Amino acid sequence: MENEDITPSIEKKLIETQVLKDIVLESSSDCLKILDTEGRLQFMNFNGMCTMEIDDFSQIKHQYWWNLWGDENKTLVKNAVNKALTGEVTEFSAYCETAKGTPKWWHVTITPVALEKGDVYQLLSISKDITELKLSEAKIKNQNIILEDKVRYRTEELLQKNIELEKRNKELAMFNHIASHDLQEPLRKINFFSKLILENSDLDDKANIYLNRILDANQRMRNLIESLQKFSSAKDINQVLEDCNLNELINYTSEYCKEYHDSVNFKIEFHDLPTIKGPKVIITQLIINLIENAIKYRKENVPLQIKISSETLSQEQINFPTNPSIKTFYKIKIADNGIGFDNQYRYQIFEPFKKLHSKDEYAGTGMGLAICKTIMENINGWIEAESDIQEGSNFYLYFPKGN
């Protein structure tokens, strides 16, 4: 009597358990399969059949599962099944086309299902479609190969350019030595014979003035050559730095430019400019280049006005690359009321041989501002400009304070 009461209850629980198991298996979006202890297919969920593009499971039921993986993966799958039959969860990833030939990559987990005493009586295989992941990995790998090729090419290019640069630097050093020596000799002769004329000839005042100008220009050229030699050969920039009072340098520059441009009506306004660190002769040449640039590009029939002012900036207030050890800069503004230029060319004007006007309009080599840029960079400074056509130009020089 008791057995008759118990049996329906057990059967009911078994049915409920099977229903629950079916619900769990069918609810998974992955391809779920049940294998017997021989490795043969016993069940595949509906989503798995869809993913594998299998229309009729009965056609593959009871087949050895590894036979569906192709010859290249047959051994891999068989070994994984045998390992799982020992009671160990196993995993692997492999390529396998669907029943209709769609290429797929799968990550497979095989879980042994055992009785209470530990005997494995079936295997649960979960195959997750990782095709998109594999394609992404392949794409990334391909991009990495392309990137590595580009880096390799760029590295080889940079090495070649470094070799060329080293060669050019050696040639430049030789040229600097030869040119300096060859230039000094005629300058010494000009100086010698000019002095002879002054000392041994009865010249009028005007001729004396002109000869003295020749001697001054000659001495300035000799000083410039010597300074360039020191500047180009110095391994440490601090070896050639000296105090440069900008008020004195601009006074000198103003007088110098008036001598060579006596027909030009121009005025330079400045006051309370700082003393900066730099090679004095070269900083003087820098200022001369900028003043002469303003003179060259002045407006016709309009007196040229050049205004020079200064302010002190902290490193946080600047927006150009600099040595982090330099905390403060002097910002020198040189503003003129000349013809200006299109502001889109504010960077190109500092490139060597870059000219915004034809040779017929304005003479020159296009090297003046490029030289200014090189000078500023070599003393850990910076130069930039802004302008509008017919609205004048502003040049900004940034000198390290206490370099």
Side-chain angles (χ1 to χ4, degrees), residues 295-336:
I295 292 172
K296 180 189 293 186
Y297 298 108
R298 67 189 184 278
K299 293 177 181 177
E300 290 187 17
N301 303 319
V302 176
L304 174 62
Q305 292 184 339
I306 301 172
K307 296 182 179 181
I308 304 176
S309 58
S310 69
E311 61 179 310
T312 304
L313 300 179
S314 65
Q315 192 179 66
E316 291 74 22
Q317 294 174 287
I318 63 175
N319 58 358
F320 56 85
T322 184
N323 188 328
S325 65
I326 302 172
K327 304 302 181 184
T328 314
F329 288 82
Y330 290 120
K331 178 182 178 181
I332 309 300
K333 177 182 178 181
I334 302 178
D336 65 57

Side-chain angles (χ1 to χ4, degrees), residues 97-268:
E97 294 181 354
T98 67
K100 295 182 179 179
T102 303
K104 293 279 186 181
W105 275 87
W106 309 91
H107 182 75
V108 181
T109 303
I110 307 175
T111 304
V113 182
L115 299 171
E116 290 184 3
K117 59 181 181 178
D119 295 332
V120 176
Y121 69 92
Q122 65 182 17
L123 301 175
L124 173 63
S125 169
I126 303 175
S127 299
K128 183 178 290 293
D129 184 356
I130 59 168
T131 306
E132 291 297 324
L133 177 62
K134 281 289 183 180
L135 290 175
S136 296
E137 289 177 351
K139 186 176 180 181
I140 292 171
K141 185 177 180 181
N142 185 54
Q143 289 175 339
N144 285 339
I145 292 172
I146 293 172
L147 182 60
E148 287 172 3
D149 288 341
K150 287 183 178 179
V151 170
R152 190 180 303 110
Y153 173 79
R154 184 62 176 156
T155 301
E156 291 173 356
E157 187 180 41
L158 287 174
L159 286 173
Q160 184 60 37
K161 286 187 176 181
N162 283 338
I163 293 171
E164 292 175 3
L165 182 61
E166 187 175 349
K167 181 182 177 183
R168 288 179 180 272
N169 282 339
K170 289 179 180 178
E171 292 172 351
L172 184 61
M174 185 178 294
F175 172 80
N176 179 48
H177 174 75
I178 294 172
S180 298
H181 179 270
D182 291 347
L183 284 173
Q184 288 282 18
E185 181 58 28
L187 288 175
R188 280 193 289 268
K189 288 183 178 179
I190 291 171
N191 187 66
F192 175 74
F193 288 115
S194 296
K195 285 184 176 179
L196 278 180
I197 294 171
L198 277 174
E199 294 169 358
N200 300 296
S201 300
D202 294 327
L203 301 172
D204 58 27
D205 291 342
K206 200 167 188 179
N208 280 322
I209 290 173
Y210 289 154
L211 272 172
N212 279 310
R213 284 187 180 181
I214 290 172
L215 287 170
D216 289 342
N218 183 75
Q219 186 59 47
R220 181 173 165 273
M221 177 62 77
R222 294 177 67 179
N223 291 342
L224 182 58
I225 291 171
E226 289 174 3
S227 185
L228 282 171
Q229 279 185 305
K230 292 179 183 178
F231 192 55
S232 61
S233 61
K235 293 182 180 178
D236 183 358
I237 187 63
N238 291 305
Q239 294 175 356
V240 293
L241 296 184
E242 51 191 316
D243 288 338
C244 301
N245 186 313
L246 291 181
N247 299 288
E248 294 176 359
L249 294 188
I250 291 171
N251 264 326
Y252 170 81
T253 301
S254 179
E255 293 303 317
Y256 170 85
C257 291
K258 284 177 181 177
E259 286 184 8
Y260 285 89
H261 303 280
D262 52 7
S263 64
V264 178
N265 182 8
F266 73 93
K267 180 180 180 182
I268 301 177

